[in-house]
Structure formats: C-alpha cells, structure tokens
Amino acid sequence: MEIREWRRLAIQSIAFFVVVFVSGLGFSQRIQQQLEIGVHAEDYKESRSQKTVFPQEKKEAPTVATKALVEERSDTYIKIPKEAIASPAKVYLQNRYMDFQVIVTFQGVARGGIDSGDILRVRGYHVSSGRISKKDPAFRKIEVVDQRERDLQKNSVQLRFTLKKAYEPILFESDEAYYISLLAARKAHEKIVVVDAGHGGMDEGTSSANRKYQEKDVVLDVQEKLSRLLEKTDMTVYYTRTKDEEVSKKDRTRLANGLQADLFVSIHCNALRGGSNTFGVETLYAGKAPRYGKLENKELADVILNQVVASTDMKKRGTIKRNDLYLLRHSKVPTAIVEIGYMTNQDDMSLMKKEIGQQKIAEGIYRGIMNAMK
Ligand SMILES: [Zn+2]
C-alpha cells in the first residue's frame, strides 16, 4: 500500500512538473510522452507496439467546397468570413468527441485576430452570432482562445465549440469563408462502433499476480491491435480513450449513447487474488433490451465470447448477466464487456502480455464485432 502511495505521489509530481513546464506550449501530447517514461516498466514499454494515430488526435485540414455543398451536408454550421481574419498560415480542426467539443485552430493569426461577432451560426435561414441562447439546439458554448507561443509566427487563435449532441464535424473553405459543418453523427455514418479500453491513468484496474502488468496497459495494447483491423472496414469507430488517461464511466457511456452506436464493446481483464487456477474468457451483459440498435445485449456477448475463444483457444467461461455494472446499466445501445483473461493466472497472463497473444484476442473481438454487425 505504501509503495503504491509513493508511486502515486511520484507520478503526480512528475505530472505537475511537466504541466508547468510545457503549459506555455499547451500541448497535451508532450505531457503524455513525458508521463509514459515515468509510468511503464522498461521491459514492458519496449514490447509495446507503435502508436496508432487515433481520430481524436487528428488535425483535419479544410476541404474546398461551395456554400451550397456545406448547406446540403449540415444540420447546422458555422461561417467565418475570410475578410474577418488576417490570412492564417494554417487552419485545422480537431474533433474532441469525448468532450463533445470541436476545436478549430487558426495558426499565424495574432492575438485578438478573430472577433466573436464574426463567428456566424447558421441553421436553415436563421443566422446568429454573439450570445448563445439556452434553447440553442446545437451549441452549448463558444470560446475564442488566444494561444501565445515563444515564436510569434506560431501565435494562433482557437475557436472551441462545445456541443449538445454528438456531431460529425467537417472543416470546409470557399473563396469567401471558412465553414464548420455539423451533421448528427448518426446521420453522417451508417455503421458506428464504440470501443472502450477499460480504466486508464490513476485507475490502473487489476494487475498480474506479481503486479508487474496492469490491466489498463494490456487492454490498451489489445485495442491498438483491434483498431488496425477495424480501420480497414466500412465502420466508423470511436474510442473512449486512446492513451493512458483517466476517463469516467459516465463519459464513456455518454459517448456510446450520444452516438446511438450500433454496438459498444468494453475490454477488461479479470483477476482473482489467491486464485491462480482460475482462468479463461467471459463476457458480461445487462438483461434489459437496448433502446437503440438491432441487437440484444446477450447476442453481442455470445458472439464476442465465441470468437475470442475460437481465436485464442482460451477457456470458455461463458456469458454472465450483470445488471449492477455502471456501463451496462447506463448504456442504451447493445453493449458487452469482454473479460479477456485472468491476470492472476500464469497461462492467461503469458498470452495477454505477448504481441501474438494480444493480436489473437484482438482478432477474436474483431470477428465478434463483424459478425454482430451483419
Ligand atoms: Zn476492468
């Protein structure tokens, strides 16, 4: 217990130092890299595969379009006339969907370079700017944030839009204006899957018998392999976390529900202290019928269990009804938790820590999802 407390303190002080150090630059990616050096055991870090670029980290450049096309594609959109901004060096959009936030950065624009009065909200024939009414169907908040850098050329102005619903944003530009088109995610995509790597950050989940391996890392590694399989399909996949960070169960569930996802799969590991002979795969589901989607929870739990077992040759423990778990209780879409193995069992752990084992588990989950989406 004491050692854990020490470690927690150490991590917190590293985090604090790093935050203070790079806050002037304001990039969380840097913080993440610094933190990982302190957190992971050396041998395990080496075995970790190369990071995939996940949608949340992507910087989307504007696509050229006419105003008519923007209107056709949007439930609502933002228009910023180009004459209102001194020509930016670079413009890009980031979709922070976990926070229901869309961020557009105008790089090379000086402080105060964008007036909030020039940010026009358009819905049909209705155009507004300035204060947002509480009844606004799309926008909760719009912030204009000046980002100062040491190199003045890199000064930028960020527009941060906090939304009330899950939208799929696209940044467009025409000769006259920049447009941020917002279309309800459920309309924008035919197939939506939410993948959830359990735990993260200070919440480490469970661990191996010798406490060398932590659940939060194993499930993230499996997710990375799963993501590479899923990116080759026609499904749109959202991840509740893509790095070692803490995400609340509420936010995880909110994403799946907000998207009205076709299915929601949460990846976890089991453990039984003093029960090293307990091993195998199980999936968990809630007994209630999902509000959205075409699948029963039990069907999803069954198909994922069967496919993971087939892919890994691990022991099939079965599907278990759990109406008490937050994620299962609050999800309104077809949902299953897959417990990929027991970290306290040597054979399960040895499979889960190796690249090849993680790949097999990922393939099993992938086939389960593919079957469920048929
Ligand atoms: Zn867990």
Side-chain angles (χ1 to χ4, degrees):
M1 217 39 193
E2 249 172 5
I3 293 168
R4 283 170 81 93
E5 281 304 308
W6 257 108
R7 235 172 55 138
R8 192 164 288 213
L9 256 177
I11 293 167
Q12 275 171 345
S13 31
I14 293 171
F16 179 74
F17 171 74
V18 172
V19 167
V20 169
F21 183 71
V22 301
S23 61
L25 305 166
F27 273 102
S28 60
Q29 263 172 336
R30 292 277 298 269
I31 297 170
Q32 192 57 34
Q33 280 167 11
Q34 296 278 340
L35 263 178
E36 275 179 1
I37 294 165
V39 171
H40 293 285
E42 208 43 51
D43 54 345
Y44 191 52
K45 192 156 58 85
E46 272 167 16
S47 80
R48 286 174 68 98
S49 49
Q50 219 185 349
K51 272 240 145 65
T52 316
V53 177
F54 286 100
Q56 221 172 355
E57 290 162 10
K58 258 190 221 161
K59 293 177 178 176
E60 306 275 358
T63 304
V64 175
T66 59
K67 185 172 172 239
L69 195 137
V70 174
E71 277 172 354
E72 200 186 298
R73 192 270 167 198
S74 312
D75 290 328
T76 183
Y77 66 89
I78 293 284
K79 179 182 176 182
I80 304 155
K82 281 189 172 172
E83 59 185 17
I85 330 161
S87 56
K90 204 172 160 189
V91 186
Y92 56 85
L93 176 146
Q94 286 161 297
N95 183 6
R96 295 238 180 113
Y97 55 79
M98 282 305 286
D99 306 317
F100 284 34
Q101 219 176 47
V102 173
I103 298 179
V104 179
T105 304
F106 293 85
Q107 206 172 297
V109 173
R111 236 182 135 184
I114 298 178
D115 189 281
S116 61
D118 291 322
I119 305 168
L120 308 174
R121 309 188 292 271
V122 188
R123 178 179 284 273
Y125 294 109
H126 190 73
V127 182
S128 55
S129 68
R131 232 183 118 252
I132 298 168
S133 144
K134 278 203 170 134
K135 287 178 194 153
D136 192 291
F139 299 98
R140 193 176 295 285
K141 200 162 67 172
I142 300 179
E143 296 159 284
V144 183
V145 183
D146 293 309
Q147 303 271 100
R148 270 177 295 171
E149 304 288 345
R150 277 191 203 125
D151 177 1
L152 291 180
Q153 296 292 310
K154 287 183 183 155
N155 268 353
S156 59
V157 177
Q158 269 193 354
L159 308 184
R160 297 182 190 167
F161 304 93
T162 308
L163 307 166
K164 287 182 178 168
K165 287 191 232 168
Y167 284 103
E168 182 59 44
I170 299 184
L171 178 62
F172 289 111
E173 83 172 295
S174 71
D175 288 342
E176 298 92 48
Y178 290 101
Y179 300 95
I180 301 144
S181 153
L182 300 173
L183 183 63
R186 193 62 269 187
K187 280 197 233 167
H189 306 293
E190 204 194 326
K191 298 174 183 176
I192 300 177
V193 170
V194 177
V195 176
D196 175 50
H199 311 279
M202 290 298 183
D203 170 16
E204 296 168 347
T206 192
S207 60
S208 58
N210 60 10
R211 303 193 192 256
K212 188 176 166 188
Y213 302 102
Q214 282 157 1
E215 180 183 2
K216 63 170 187 173
D217 297 321
V218 173
V219 296
L220 194 60
D221 282 350
V222 169
Q223 176 182 271
E224 280 185 36
K225 292 171 177 73
L226 174 62
S227 73
R228 277 189 222 117
L229 298 165
L230 288 171
E231 77 191 1
K232 291 171 193 148
T233 69
D234 61 346
M235 286 180 275
T236 302
V237 188
Y238 290 78
Y239 300 89
T240 56
R241 74 176 174 105
T242 54
K243 49 194 172 197
D244 187 16
E245 68 184 343
E246 201 160 345
V247 180
S248 72
K249 291 186 178 109
K250 192 178 170 187
D251 285 353
R252 295 172 200 253
T253 323
R254 184 181 74 158
L255 177 72
N257 291 343
L259 291 165
Q260 297 177 24
D262 294 295
L263 57 90
F264 182 23
V265 177
S266 181
I267 309 169
H268 285 259
C269 303
N270 249 325
L272 187 61
R273 298 285 159 210
S276 61
N277 292 327
T278 302
F279 58 96
V281 189
E282 56 195 41
T283 51
L284 317 177
Y285 68 97
K288 63 170 184 178
R291 186 185 298 175
Y292 305 113
K294 298 173 192 117
L295 214 60
E296 290 302 326
N297 293 319
K298 172 84 164 64
E299 287 178 84
L300 179 62
D302 274 332
V303 70
I304 289 176
L305 176 72
N306 290 336
Q307 291 301 325
V308 173
V309 168
S311 171
T312 57
D313 271 335
M314 290 170 90
K315 182 185 173 186
K316 184 172 175 175
R317 296 180 59 86
T319 53
I320 301 166
K321 194 196 280 185
R322 291 288 299 269
N323 293 329
D324 55 321
L325 299 175
Y326 183 97
L327 214 72
L328 302 180
R329 202 148 40 97
H330 289 89
S331 176
K332 294 172 183 161
V333 307
T335 304
I337 292 176
V338 53
E339 299 274 2
I340 59 173
Y342 276 76
M343 296 187 78
T344 38
N345 174 264
Q346 222 177 355
D347 291 341
D348 275 9
M349 191 61 238
S350 125
L351 189 90
M352 287 191 286
K353 75 184 179 195
K354 286 188 198 127
E355 293 278 322
I356 180 95
Q358 294 171 355
Q359 184 65 31
K360 282 181 182 168
I361 294 165
E363 277 167 21
I365 300 172
Y366 165 75
R367 286 191 208 125
I369 291 173
M370 295 306 279
N371 277 346
M373 291 295 286
K374 264 184 202 158

